Amino acid sequence: MSANKSPAARLRRAWDRCQTLPFGSAIFSRLLGAMVPYTGTIRPRVLELRPGYARVELRDRRGVRNHLGSIHAIAIANLAEVTSGLAMTLALPAEARGIVTSFSIDYVKKARGTLTAECATGPVDASVQQAHHFVAVVRDDVGDEVARGTAAWLIGPTPRPETPREATAAATTAAR
């Protein structure tokens, strides 16, 4: 996979382009929602994005509330997961990939008002396939922690595509 086609390169390019526009963060956030439809249901707003770091906001609105009038637990988990994913994806080299293998979340207090999730990954070693754990902390509009989500990402090098000759040899061996 070329550097220009990697998920990190596409996200970084879209973020950089949108930042030159009025309402660029809102435009990028809409694009993100289109690229990741389930995440789009909570309408996250990406406030800050750079390699290894993401800060994402979720506005309190009827569509993300539960029957108790607070923000639904799964909407908070979705916010934490997308925040960790953005930070991790932009930290990856072009020749690497990652996928969530598990996710856990601790809810600290009832969530009301605008929530902001933040995740800082630091450098990511993608030279061998291995699990990495990233924490996204979710705070309310007064700065109190309401949740802490931990995403386990399996990260490693992107397998190189087989050449036609290798594919033929593999098919011949499999047919025997």
Side-chain angles (χ1 to χ4, degrees), residues 66-153:
N66 59 26
H67 63 289
L68 302 172
S70 58
I71 298 177
H72 196 282
I74 298 303
I76 299 168
N78 192 335
L79 174 65
E81 190 274 338
V82 73
T83 304
S84 78
L86 286 168
M88 180 278 307
T89 299
L90 263 72
L92 289 180
E95 62 281 349
R97 65 181 180 175
I99 187 167
V100 173
T101 57
S102 69
F103 183 82
S104 65
I105 190 159
D106 294 314
Y107 299 100
V108 179
K109 70 177 262 194
K110 197 174 280 192
R112 290 197 169 105
T114 299
L115 303 182
T116 304
E118 198 170 17
C119 180
T121 67
V124 176
D125 177 13
S127 61
V128 296
Q129 186 166 298
Q130 60 185 325
H132 296 264
H133 294 81
F134 304 117
V135 176
V137 176
V138 182
R139 297 185 184 282
D140 61 18
D141 50 10
V142 295
D144 292 341
E145 184 175 320
V146 298
R148 179 175 290 262
T150 303
W153 288 84

Side-chain angles (χ1 to χ4, degrees), residues 18 24 28 84 90 105 122 134 155 158 168-169 175:
C18 288
F28 177 83
S84 78
L90 263 72
I105 190 159
F134 304 117
I155 296 172
T158 303
T168 302

